[in-house]
Structure formats: structure tokens, C-alpha cells
Amino acid sequence: SPNFLLVGYLIKNRICTSDSETGGSPKWDNKAQYLLTCIGFAVGIGNVWRFPYLCQIYGGGAFLIPYLIALVFEGLPLLFLELAVGQRLRKGSVGVWKTINPVIGGVGIGCLIVSFLVGVFYNTILAWVLWYFFHSFQEPLPWSTCPLNESRTDYNLECKKSTPVNYFWYRETLNITPDIEISGSVEWGMVICLASAWCIVYICFIKGIDSMGKAVYVTSTFPYLVLTIFLIRALTLPGATDGLLYLFTPDWQTLKNPRVWLDAATQIFFSLSVAFGGLISFSSYNEEKNNCERDAVLVGVINSATSLYASIPVFSILGFKATTALNACKDENILALTNHFEFSDQNITLQNYDYWYEYLNTTYPGKFQSLSLRECDLQKLLKQVLTPSYSTGLAFIVFTEAVISMPGSQVWAVLFFVMLFSLGLSSMFGNIEGVLSPLNELKLLPRWIPKELTSAIICLISFLVALLFTLSSGNYWVEVFNGYVGSVPLLIIALFEIIGVIYFRGMKTFSDDIYIMTGKRPNIFWKACWMVISPLLLLVVFVAYVIVQAQTRPTYQAWNPDYEKFPETEQKLYPDWVFAIIILLCVVPVISIPLVALYQLLRGRFRKSSVGMELNPYDNDAFVTDTQEQKTQRA
Amino acid sequence: MIAYADFKIESLAYFSKKMPNHVRWVLQQIKSRIERLNALFRPVMHYNCSAHHEGTNMTEEASNISSDTAAYPWSKNEMFLFRAALAFAMRDYTNGEEFGVSDIHPCDETKRVSFWFVVTRPNTTDLVDKGTVEMAIKKSRNRINGAFLLTDQTLEFDGIYPTLAAPVSPDTPPWLIVFGVVMGAVSVGIIALLAYPLVQRKLKKNKDADDEDSDEETGVKTAEIGANDGIYNSTFSDDERFTQM
């Protein structure tokens, strides 16, 4: 608009801005950029491993029902709400809530803290991905064989007892300690990878959404390409159909377990990346007359479709892994039988294994029992294949093991880790945006700092905080953050978001907003969801979650080579001080909501929100401040 | 016979991670009461082998073993090759004692292509002790493997474990190369993106300075920079229209 240009001129010589040519707020180059950014933010590493993992433990195809119900009644309304609010009020996550009503301004600050904490540990996962990526260019892959022990007479003991893949992950990558209390030392290899990850995030974010918008063309589309390649490759592997059948065979009994519904609701939540504030910022850079209803439905549906699409190659590969393990088990038994009964070679093969097994068992039971053969059962192996009980290990243990058995391992490993990295990177953009735009709105940093420097400062501070995760016990801390920062605070923030929009802004005003933006008012479905269903669902989920967590003392799985049941992971209780930190992590992001509310109430500034007053097209903060400064300077 | 009854056969745990299609030989323990049994050693093949094999007399089959195994063709010729290879190994280890093919005595051959054998000193019936034979085999393991075109995994001597190959460690670790390339590209990108606007601004300043000079020279009226865009609103400015540089 001409006002912006004019103002840009007058202050051009005083303040050098490095903004885009419009001279003021950033803007998307085109609609595709915006959609790709939102989709990239929503689609993350969790879509690839957490969804298939949940699908598998909650009875395959039956999990889709609570998942889709949660998507329709909880995910989509929240998504639509955030996009609409951001696009209409054209501010970041702090500004919109302050605009609606200063009392709930704390919600934005909560979003800021959550985005920061999640960004810190999420990028650590990307650092691990980078480590694996760097190590995938070797022949043979370093996680395919055990290293030798010091005297070169045998393989390393820890590696022999577990598997080379586990050893590479726990010992060579993490160098993990047996307990969260034992911090160990800083792992320099990991520090380098972490620095690289933050540098890559920085270079993509160096110019705000101008540079990020270009980066998402690659980071959001490349994973789909790789997923398709993996899909085709995985479906041609032997045993793929077993894995797929296992995934999609519904076990209706699990629907009676309330944990399933709880996990479906929280999965949709974390998967769509609502309540982070990033989506609000992204949609505020849109033009006002944009159909955000269609965008919200599109993003939500694509996110869930990606989860489903990704679970097909995942389960095909897991079926392949189980089949490989089955054949190895059978080969072992065949060797034992052949040696013991002195048959000639190739008499017992994989094909006639079952026949020979039965025959020998019945004909020579004594001899047979003395061999104590291992039982080779496909269903058991399929279950066993998914035993890493916590999800971050799934990608690094399960997939890397599968990749070894595929011909051309290096290619698949490199492709896989690049895909994981771009999935995670596009999600990181949303996290960083969720930190940067509230910071700019809160005016915590002086105006003359260019945005390159702000991004650099944020990346540096996050890197320094994330050094905690490069300690030997770092993986345990990532699990703590993953489990607690990304669950309870988000639920509370989302609840307050809905309450804020529907009750503070008012359903009527909000419908008008949407009418202005899209040309039609929200229909009865949206209204019912916003006013009743979604808040109710969120409240129920929150209460249930707290109850479930409060019932048992939280535990974690520790990798302890001295454990008697090694290579199984040892279940340990969190010590008290870690428990206190967990409580802090849950409480600190949301404490700002009541604090700010109290502050505002005490100060008596209880302005009603009105569209006319807030959205003055001549209202340009920078302009007003500057001329006042000019006046005071000359006075 | 009594002496041999005392022998404990080496453990028959000869599998675990070995592949099928393997050939197995088992060494026999020599006890001190050899001298008493010297006279009994002539028919070595029949004697000591059947004593500790579980009942079945395998001797006939042993001498007539023929290969039906599809996996590894075994015949009397192959057995001859084995004996020759082992004789070579013994010669190599003992530095010259002239072991011959006739000094290696296999027995208890099975269809599985596995058998026991004993080694006697050349031209005598003194058995060579197990330790010496083991060392000899360890020394020439590669040659024996090579003779049969087999590997450590497919040819097993019970009780002799292969020495593991040292892991390959390249001079420059590959991960360093990839890391260097990626980080180099990222650093160059960051520096470029940070420096580019500064350079651009400097160029633009020079260009504007030139433009200003040319404008002043030609004396255009109000065609100072930007006067053409938009309507000037004098409400909010305190002093002159264009701020001084």
C-alpha cells in the first residue's frame, strides 16, 4: 500500500532495514510456498516412526478409527482456528492473543517457550540423523559388523551380546551411560554434528521467510519422493506382505482400552504442530482474502495421509526384517540338525524345514530335545522387531538393521537419512518461527538489530542449551523432553486458544472474520466443534493424561551392559531431581498464562477487543515510534 | 581299547554361526598310554574310530565314501587332497620332517563330509600330539582353505578358531569428507548471504550518489529521489521535506 512505501522512504535514511521490497512485513511469494511450509511443519519425523509404532502396538488397522475421529473433531478445528486467527489479525502468536484480549496474552508467551524447548531437543535428533548420514558413505556400513576387542581375538563383548546395530547406536554414537544420573562427558563427535545441524537451520532461516520459503520447496517435497522410492523398493522385498498384513489386521479389542484414544488424540496433536505458534505466524504473512478453511483441511488431510503413506514402506521393511530373522533362525536350526544327525548337506532346506522338524521331533525325541533348538515363529519375530520401547530408537535401530540386508545398502541408508533430515528441518522452521516472531513482537531486542543477527542469536542460544544433549546421558534427557514438553503444555495452550477465540473474541466476531476472509461463514460443524466438542475432547484428554501419568512413577529404559538381562534395556525410575525437572518442564510454559492474566487484571486494562480499533490500516508501530522520537529529539 | 575308552571326544558343538556346506574334521586327543597301544595302531581306521562312535560301524562306509552331496562334491580324490594339504602343513610347521600322505589317517567319515583324523610321525606309528597338529593347521590355515576354495566360515576344524581379520581403517575417514563438503557449502552459503546485501547496498549507494550528482547537474525541479511515488503527507514531518544526509 502507498503508506508503507512512503513511510519506508522517510525512515530509509535513518534506519537501514533489510526487509523485503515491500518495506514492511514479510510476505509469501506465492500460495504454494505457504502451503508447503505449513505441510512441512506438520509433517515431521513423527509421521514416519511414531504413527506406525502406535499403529502396531494398538492393533493395526483398528487404531485408524480413533486416529481419524481425533483428526476430524480435534485436529482440523484447531488447525482452522489457528490459521484463521493468524490471517485475520496479521500478527504472530503473542500479538494475536494480546489483540483479542490482553488477559490471555500469556498464551503467546507459552507458545514461545514451548517452541524453544521443542526446537532444542528436536534439532538434537536431527544431529543424530546427520551423524548417521555422514557415516553412511562407508563400505561396509559401520553398523553392520562388530569391532574387535583389544586383544583382537574376538569381537567386542558388548557388541557380541547385543547386535552391531545396537552397539553402534548406543556405544559409538551416543556413548550412553547406564543411568541418567551419570552424566558422563561431552561427546565431541555429537557436538560437531549438532553445530552442523544448527548451521543448516540458520542458513535456511537467515532471511526469515524469504530464505525459508525457498528452502521449503526442497525440504517439503523431497521426503515424498524418497518415500515413494522406498515404497516401491519395500514392496518388492520378501516378507513385505507379512508386515503389511500384520499392520492392517485390525484388533478390535484394543478399542476398549482408553489409552488408545488418549494416544490417538495426543498423536494428532503433536503431529499437526498446533499450539506452537508457528502456524499463526505463517498464516499472518498471507494476504487477507485467502480461503484458510480450505488450507486447514488440506494441511490436516495431507498430514494424516502422509502418516498412512509412510507406514506402508515402514511395515514392509519390518516384515522383511522379520522374515530375514526367521530365515536366519531356521538356517541355524538346519545347521544344528544336519550336524547332529549327520545328514548330507542341503538335505534339509528352508522349504522342507517344517517337514524335517516334525519328522525328527517325532522319530528321535531324545536327541532332538538335547539340541534345544530356538523356536522360529514369524508372528513372534514381528512383535520382537518392534521392541525398542521408545520411539527415537526406532529409526536408528530398526531401519538401519533392515538397510543392511537390502542390496545396495549405502544408497538406501543415505536416502533414508536425507529424508529424515529434510522432514525434521521443515518442522524446525516452524519451531524457529514460533520463537522469532513472538520475540519481535515482545520487543525484547532493540530494533536496530537486523534479522540475520536475531536468527543467529536464537540459533546460538539453542545450540548452547542443546549441548546438554551431547553428554553421554543425553539420550535420556531427549526422552524426558520428548515425553513431557510436547504433551501437557500443548494441551493446555490449545485449550486456552479455543477458549480465547470463542469466548473472549466471541463466536459472532470470529464468524465475521472468517466471512471477510473466505466469503462464507463457518458452517454448523465448525461451530459445534469449536464451541463444544473440541474443548471437551481436549479437557478429557488432558485430565486422562494427567491421571495416567500420576498413577505410576515415571520410568525410563536404560542401556546397562552390566544388567543381568542384557541386551534387554533396564527399566529404572527417574530420580527425584529429574522428576522435579519434569514438573518444571510441564509447568513453566503454561505458568505465563495465569501470570499475565493476573498482571493485566491488576492493572485494570480491560479493553474489549474491537476490529475497528485494532486494525487501523494507518497504524504502523514503527512510524509512530519514530516520529515521536524525532519530536523528542528536536524538542 | 580300554585306553581309547578313556578318550573324551571333543565337544560336538560345531555349529553356531557357520554356514551349511561345510566340511568338518575333528582332531583326536592323544593320551600318554600310546606305547601300550602301538601294536593296536596298525588298523587305525577301524580301531579307534569305532570305539568312540556311537555304536554304528562306519568303517565300511568310511572307505567307500562317495559324494552325493549336491553342495560340496566329496570323493576319495578330495580326501587325498586333504591328506596332502595336511601333510604339507605338518612339514611346514616342523620345518622339514618328511610327512607324507600316508601319515594322515582319517576315520569316521560321514555323509555330512565330516570326519576325524590322526597324524603319525613319518615312518613310525607315533601319534603326533594334538597341540602340534593344531599349531600346524593354524599356521597354514589359508593354504588349506585355498586348496578347497573354501573360507574360514565354510571349512571348520573343531576347536581351532580362526584369527579374526583386522578391521579396515581407511586413512581419511569417509565421514570427515562428507562432513567437510557439507559444512563447507553451508559456511560459504552463510557468508555469501550475509555479505550479499552489504555489497548490494554499497553498489546502490554509489549508483545513487551518481544519480544525485547527475540530477543536481541537470537541475530537475522536484525529481529528487522518490518524490514521484505517492502523495507526500506533511502532517507528520517536522522539518524540511527531505531529511539531510
Side-chain angles (χ1 to χ4, degrees), chain A residues 514-535:
Chain A
I514 296 182
Y515 177 67
I516 294 175
M517 290 192 290
T518 65
K520 57 181 179 13
R521 293 177 192 280
N523 58 30
I524 188 70
F525 167 71
W526 297 116
K527 285 197 180 142
C529 280
W530 286 327
M531 299 191 72
V532 177
I533 302 181
S534 299

Side-chain angles (χ1 to χ4, degrees), chain B residues 131-203:
Chain B
T132 317
V133 182
E134 273 187 0
M135 297 300 289
I137 292 180
K138 261 194 197 157
K139 187 176 175 194
S140 310
R141 188 64 187 268
N142 264 353
R143 303 297 296 272
I144 303 177
N145 283 353
F148 293 94
L149 303 175
L150 291 175
T151 66
D152 277 344
Q153 276 73 40
T154 44
L155 166 55
E156 182 191 358
F157 286 86
D158 196 24
I160 304 180
Y161 299 107
T163 44
L164 301 165
V168 172
S169 54
D171 294 330
T172 39
W175 69 265
L176 197 61
I177 301 172
V178 185
F179 169 72
V181 167
V182 168
M183 285 316 291
V186 168
S187 320
V188 164
I190 290 180
I191 296 175
L193 283 173
L194 286 176
Y196 182 65
L198 293 172
V199 167
Q200 214 187 21
R201 207 174 288 139
K202 220 188 247 176
L203 285 174

